[in-house]
Amino acid sequence: MEDKFDNKLTISLEDGTKAVIEVLDIIDSNIYDKTFIIYKFENDEDNIFASILNEQEKSYSLDTITNQDEINYINSEIDRVSASE
Amino acid sequence: MKLEINTFFNNVDDYYKNNVESLDGIEDTGINNLKEAIEFYEDIQRIMVKRIPELMENKDNLSQAEISEYTKKATEVFNKCDRYISKINEVLEIKNSLITKKIIENRKNPSLKLQSEIYILKYGGRYNGFRKEYNDLKAVKLNPNNKTVIKKSKDDEIDEIIKYVKEEIYKEAIPIENNEIQRNINPPKKEEVKENKTKVYEKPTLKEEPKMNVYRKPVPKEEPIKVQNNSVIPQESKKEETKINNAINEFPSINNGSNDNKKEEVKNVSSESKEFEFPATLSELIVQGYLPNNIDEKKLIEVCNNLGIKAKDLNFKIDKDLYSRLDNDKVIKDARFNLEVVNKHKQKIKEYDKLINEYENMYKEVINSGSFDSKYIRELRSTIQVLMQEKAKYTRNVDNMKFDDVSSYYQFNIGFDNKAISINKKHEKVNNELREQYQILDKQKIELKNATSNKMKQIINRRIEKTEKTIRSLKAKESLYNSKQVKIINDNSQKYINIVKYKQERYAYEKKNARENVRQVIDYNNEKKRLNEEKQNIYKDLANVNDSNIKGLVERIKLEKEVSDIEKAINRLQKKEGRCIKQAQFYHRETKNTSLK
């Protein structure tokens, strides 16, 4: 039997509080050798965020994107997918 | 059909005599045998009800006299069956009423047994002479030692006996209790005893599709043309517009994938015609000259069906590729060719008409002028007659020419030449080879479509599986999050979200359906095996049926109908099975690994 699958993750912030995010998509880029994660918070429906996903054995971290080329890459992916259909 | 009706017509009465009515009458037969007889006659009535409209359709090409005969026979058979059924029902009512009384009597008062026996013997028993009318009683006398003796008696004694019986019975009348009576009067019907051969297959209840936000491309808004008030368009621009329009109207419209030479002769394209846009219906193509006018609808539809175009009317739409197939078909080329020939004939006929009018005018002037030169007049008359004869040839050709008959041309110009016939046969061979290749191409197109669509879906499904795997792995881990993160400000972000949601929901829906579809396929296969086994059993029964009797005929007709119903059910199951296999084809990997049983 299948377990119902949710795209939601609980994240612990710097303050110690926890928040729930809804994962929209995970993109693997061979150019930059990184995985990008696109998500939004549960309460905010208007804002969308992107960050780098560093997955390790027992933990993972969502890091900020500093390079402008990577941001343009994500925007180009979004435009490509939205225009293809 | 004739033999069936004749056998029923000749043997209905004999069945009644041999199986229902014994030497001593109907009343001797048991209740179960009478009910079988009723069902048998009802089956015959159902068969006759079917055969009468089949006779009216006249598929066997019978004469009207034969049709009237057999319809009369069929109606007579139907009416006879009604009469026999009514007779048997009368007897059954009485027997059922007697059984109630017998139960009442035997239950409480054993002494009433004898009295009940008397009553039964009178109205439903075995004794001599009681055949047709129940009122013709020939009574029975009791023996004091509880023995019954059958004797003949007079009518006076009968009345006394009846009074005695009635008084004794209705003295101790007991109210009816429903359970006992219904058990004995209404034995279990055959319909209830029979097993339900046709099982109703219950569909598994699938949830409805989740409502998905359909993403559509935004249509660019056309900015309206802004016109300044008090603006005067100069006249020079008007002249240019008129020049351009005139230049366009002079040239014919653009013809896509066709020969221009033939069309100019067939029909002059109107000046108001725009650039032709595919897909278009067949009727539009004919009106605008892309297909010839002289073809019948049925013939055109046959040609389309031979080329892989599934058209039933002229309102069927066609693409460029399909139009090119039609254009290169021999039938349409011949039709176009004949149109040219007809048009040329008509041109000649017009010329002849002109000449004839001129000569006739000359003839009239000569007569009206008064100068009576007989030679000149005779020559005029002869020329007019010659012209009329030659004109008649052309009109005859136009009337007799068929749209796809190219041999007329060869006869007309070249003569009855074997070479022309051999050329025509070669064209036919090439045409038939092309049609076969189109069928192969259509199949390959469908296979390619399915292959590409399957690949694309598999690629999308793999991507979704990856994301789900990573998310599941992340749920079990601890997280670190920096408060400053990048916010996306892309106009297409909402569209992107909707697309991703749609694909994920669709993936989950199809995954569920795949498993359930595979289970349904197994159920369908099991049911098909069962139906095939039943069919083989029916074939064995059919081999043992004897057609010489009416009973055998009725059984044969019933069994053949069951076979046809089973075959229809099997075809329906095969279609459903195919649909389930298609829906489940994207998840072959999962079906191999999972155990559904």
Side-chain angles (χ1 to χ4, degrees):
Chain A
M1 292 296 290
E2 294 177 357
D3 294 329
K4 286 192 177 179
F5 182 72
D6 289 328
N7 292 333
K8 294 179 182 174
L9 292 171
T10 55
I11 282 169
S12 59
L13 300 170
E14 290 174 344
D15 299 333
T17 57
K18 291 197 174 178
V20 179
I21 59 167
E22 191 175 337
V23 177
L24 299 172
D25 202 357
I26 294 169
I27 296 166
D28 291 326
S29 69
N30 293 320
I31 298 164
Y32 301 104
D33 289 331
K34 289 179 185 176
T35 58
F36 299 105
I37 183 165
I38 298 166
Y39 59 95
K40 65 180 182 180
F41 285 95
E42 219 176 8
N43 297 320
D44 283 334
E45 289 184 358
D46 296 330
N47 293 317
I48 297 158
F49 296 91
S51 58
I52 296 163
L53 196 153
N54 285 321
E55 192 176 358
Q56 290 158 11
E57 289 181 358
K58 294 185 181 179
S59 65
Y60 66 94
S61 65
L62 299 175
D63 297 330
T64 54
I65 298 168
T66 55
N67 197 347
Q68 189 66 34
D69 292 334
E70 293 172 358
I71 292 164
N72 293 327
Y73 172 73
I74 287 164
N75 283 314
S76 67
E77 284 267 331
I78 289 165
D79 291 330
R80 183 180 63 78
V81 173
S82 63
S84 65
E85 294 190 7
Chain B
M1 198 189 293
K2 288 186 194 178
L3 286 172
E4 282 182 6
I5 291 167
N6 282 323
T7 51
F8 285 123
F9 185 73
N10 293 322
N11 294 321
V12 165
D13 295 326
D14 292 334
Y15 181 80
Y16 184 77
K17 285 178 187 174
N18 294 323
N19 293 322
V20 178
E21 190 182 23
S22 63
L23 291 169
D24 295 331
I26 288 174
E27 297 78 15
D28 296 337
T29 54
I31 289 167
N32 290 323
N33 292 325
L34 292 172
K35 288 187 179 180
E36 284 181 0
I38 288 168
E39 288 179 358
F40 181 72
Y41 283 122
E42 285 176 355
D43 289 331
I44 292 169
Q45 283 181 346
R46 279 174 212 147
I47 291 163
M48 291 293 112
V49 166
K50 284 185 186 177
R51 295 285 181 264
I52 288 165
E54 287 179 4
L55 281 170
M56 302 303 284
E57 287 177 2
N58 197 4
K59 289 183 180 179
D60 296 332
N61 291 323
L62 299 170
S63 64
Q64 287 186 356
E66 289 178 345
I67 289 166
S68 62
E69 281 182 10
Y70 286 105
T71 50
K72 281 182 186 177
K73 285 185 180 178
T75 51
E76 284 179 8
V77 168
F78 187 89
N79 291 324
K80 280 184 185 178
C81 292
D82 273 337
R83 277 178 246 155
Y84 291 133
I85 287 164
S86 63
K87 278 187 188 178
I88 294 164
N89 279 322
E90 287 177 1
V91 174
L92 282 173
E93 285 177 3
I94 289 161
K95 286 200 173 189
N96 288 324
S97 66
L98 290 171
I99 288 162
T100 54
K101 290 179 182 174
K102 193 175 181 181
I103 290 158
I104 292 162
E105 294 153 3
N106 293 324
R107 200 154 35 80
K108 291 284 179 180
N109 193 348
S111 66
L112 289 171
K113 271 190 188 180
L114 298 170
Q115 294 172 6
S116 63
E117 282 179 355
I118 292 162
Y119 200 77
I120 288 161
L121 288 168
K122 283 181 188 174
Y123 291 98
R126 184 174 295 216
Y127 60 94
N128 292 320
F130 193 88
R131 290 201 182 181
K132 291 183 182 179
E133 295 180 355
Y134 299 102
N135 293 320
D136 292 333
L137 293 173
K138 293 184 180 179
V140 175
K141 274 192 180 177
L142 269 176
N143 199 354
N145 292 323
N146 292 330
K147 285 183 185 177
T148 59
V149 175
I150 294 165
K151 280 188 181 178
K152 292 186 182 180
S153 66
K154 295 179 182 177
D155 292 333
D156 294 331
E157 292 178 353
I158 290 161
D159 293 330
E160 290 175 1
I161 290 162
I162 288 164
K163 281 182 188 177
Y164 175 73
V165 169
K166 277 186 183 177
E167 287 172 358
E168 291 292 312
I169 285 166
Y170 289 110
K171 271 183 191 177
E172 299 181 3
I174 295 158
I176 293 163
E177 289 181 2
N178 289 319
N179 292 323
E180 290 180 356
I181 290 161
Q182 285 178 1
R183 229 181 286 148
N184 287 314
I185 289 169
N186 295 319
K189 292 182 181 178
K190 283 189 178 181
E191 293 177 354
E192 293 174 359
V193 170
K194 279 183 183 176
E195 294 179 356
N196 288 322
K197 288 184 180 180
T198 60
K199 287 185 185 175
V200 177
Y201 181 79
E202 294 178 354
K203 284 185 184 178
T205 56
L206 297 172
K207 288 183 183 177
E208 292 179 357
E209 286 190 16
K211 291 182 181 178
M212 293 178 248
N213 294 320
V214 177
Y215 174 66
R216 290 175 184 168
K217 275 186 185 179
V219 176
K221 290 182 182 178
E222 294 179 355
E223 293 181 354
I225 295 163
K226 291 183 181 178
V227 177
Q228 294 178 0
N229 292 324
N230 299 323
S231 66
V232 177
I233 296 164
Q235 291 181 358
E236 291 179 353
S237 62
K238 279 186 183 177
K239 286 182 183 177
E240 289 176 354
E241 287 176 0
T242 53
K243 280 184 187 176
I244 289 162
N245 287 324
N246 288 323
I248 286 165
N249 290 325
E250 284 176 359
F251 290 100
S253 64
I254 293 162
N255 296 321
N256 293 315
S258 61
N259 294 321
D260 293 329
N261 292 323
K262 289 185 181 177
K263 279 181 191 156
E264 288 176 0
E265 292 175 357
V266 168
K267 187 174 181 181
N268 290 322
V269 180
S270 62
S271 64
E272 295 177 354
S273 65
K274 300 177 186 177
E275 287 186 0
F276 199 74
E277 293 179 356
F278 283 97
T281 60
L282 291 168
S283 59
E284 289 177 0
L285 291 168
I286 290 165
V287 166
Q288 296 200 5
Y290 291 89
L291 287 173
N293 293 325
N294 55 355
I295 294 174
D296 292 331
E297 286 186 9
K298 290 182 182 179
K299 187 81 185 183
L300 213 171
I301 289 161
E302 282 182 12
V303 171
C304 290
N305 289 323
N306 287 324
L307 295 169
I309 299 164
K310 294 176 184 179
K312 292 180 183 177
D313 288 328
L314 293 176
N315 292 322
F316 187 79
K317 285 194 176 179
I318 286 173
D319 293 328
K320 280 186 194 179
D321 296 330
L322 297 174
Y323 173 71
S324 64
R325 285 187 196 179
L326 268 177
D327 210 9
N328 291 316
D329 196 20
K330 184 181 179 288
V331 174
I332 287 164
K333 282 184 184 177
D334 293 339
R336 247 184 222 139
F337 190 76
N338 277 317
L339 263 182
E340 287 180 15
V341 173
V342 166
N343 286 327
K344 287 191 179 175
H345 278 74
K346 287 182 181 176
Q347 285 176 9
K348 287 249 173 176
I349 287 162
K350 283 182 185 176
E351 292 174 2
Y352 276 112
D353 285 331
K354 278 185 189 177
L355 283 172
I356 288 161
N357 281 323
E358 286 178 3
Y359 278 106
E360 281 178 355
N361 290 325
M362 282 162 69
Y363 186 76
K364 286 176 187 175
E365 285 176 2
V366 164
I367 287 164
N368 290 325
S369 66
S371 62
F372 212 74
D373 194 356
S374 63
K375 252 193 193 179
Y376 187 57
I377 288 162
R378 262 180 256 155
E379 285 178 0
L380 281 174
R381 274 185 205 165
S382 63
T383 51
I384 288 164
Q385 285 175 3
V386 168
L387 289 171
M388 298 279 271
Q389 285 173 6
E390 289 179 359
K391 182 189 157 185
K393 288 181 189 176
Y394 285 97
T395 54
R396 236 180 284 152
N397 278 337
V398 169
D399 292 331
N400 293 327
M401 196 180 284
K402 294 178 188 176
F403 68 91
D404 60 350
D405 189 7
V406 180
S407 62
S408 61
Y409 174 72
Y410 291 112
Q411 288 179 13
F412 187 68
N413 280 333
I414 295 168
F416 195 78
D417 194 0
N418 289 322
K419 196 174 183 181
I421 291 164
S422 66
I423 289 164
N424 199 12
K425 284 183 182 178
K426 278 185 188 177
H427 287 311
E428 284 179 359
K429 275 187 187 179
V430 170
N431 207 24
N432 290 326
E433 286 174 1
L434 278 173
R435 285 178 182 179
E436 290 175 357
Q437 287 179 6
Y438 289 138
Q439 288 177 4
I440 293 162
L441 279 171
D442 287 332
K443 285 180 185 176
Q444 286 177 357
K445 270 188 191 178
I446 292 162
E447 289 175 0
L448 278 172
K449 263 191 190 178
N450 288 327
T452 53
S453 66
N454 291 338
K455 277 186 184 176
M456 288 299 292
K457 273 212 170 184
Q458 285 175 4
I459 288 162
I460 291 161
N461 290 334
R462 278 177 217 158
R463 199 164 172 281
I464 292 166
E465 285 174 5
K466 256 191 186 180
T467 55
E468 286 182 357
K469 275 184 188 177
T470 55
I471 291 165
R472 277 178 184 154
S473 66
L474 292 173
K475 280 186 180 182
K477 296 177 182 177
E478 292 178 358
S479 64
L480 291 170
Y481 185 81
N482 292 321
S483 60
K484 290 183 182 176
Q485 293 292 338
V486 173
K487 195 191 283 187
I488 286 169
I489 303 166
N490 193 340
D491 292 332
N492 293 321
S493 60
Q494 192 63 37
K495 299 169 193 173
Y496 179 75
I497 289 161
N498 291 328
I499 288 162
V500 170
K501 268 191 188 178
Y502 174 82
K503 287 181 181 175
Q504 286 173 356
E505 287 170 355
R506 189 79 197 171
Y507 174 80
Y509 175 73
E510 287 178 353
K511 212 184 207 182
K512 275 189 189 180
N513 272 339
R515 293 190 175 186
E516 291 174 356
N517 283 319
V518 171
R519 283 172 199 158
Q520 281 188 32
V521 166
I522 291 162
D523 291 333
Y524 288 145
N525 281 321
N526 290 329
E527 196 167 347
K528 272 201 277 182
K529 284 181 189 175
R530 187 180 62 75
L531 289 171
N532 281 317
E533 287 176 0
E534 283 184 7
K535 207 199 313 186
Q536 287 176 6
N537 290 326
I538 289 165
Y539 281 133
K540 287 179 187 174
D541 292 333
L542 272 172
N544 295 324
V545 167
N546 195 359
D547 279 341
S548 61
N549 288 331
I550 290 175
K551 267 196 174 180
L553 242 180
V554 172
E555 284 181 9
R556 178 174 279 280
I557 290 163
K558 275 188 184 178
L559 292 169
E560 285 176 355
K561 195 188 170 188
E562 285 181 8
V563 168
S564 65
D565 289 334
I566 285 165
E567 286 176 353
K568 285 179 187 175
I570 288 166
N571 285 326
R572 268 179 252 141
L573 289 170
Q574 278 181 352
K575 282 185 187 176
K576 289 180 185 176
E577 191 180 340
R579 277 179 223 152
C580 292
I581 287 164
K582 258 194 181 180
Q583 288 178 6
Q585 66 187 345
F586 302 117
Y587 299 96
H588 288 298
R589 292 182 217 162
E590 288 186 7
T591 55
K592 283 179 186 175
N593 292 323
T594 58
S595 62
L596 294 169
K597 292 185 182 177

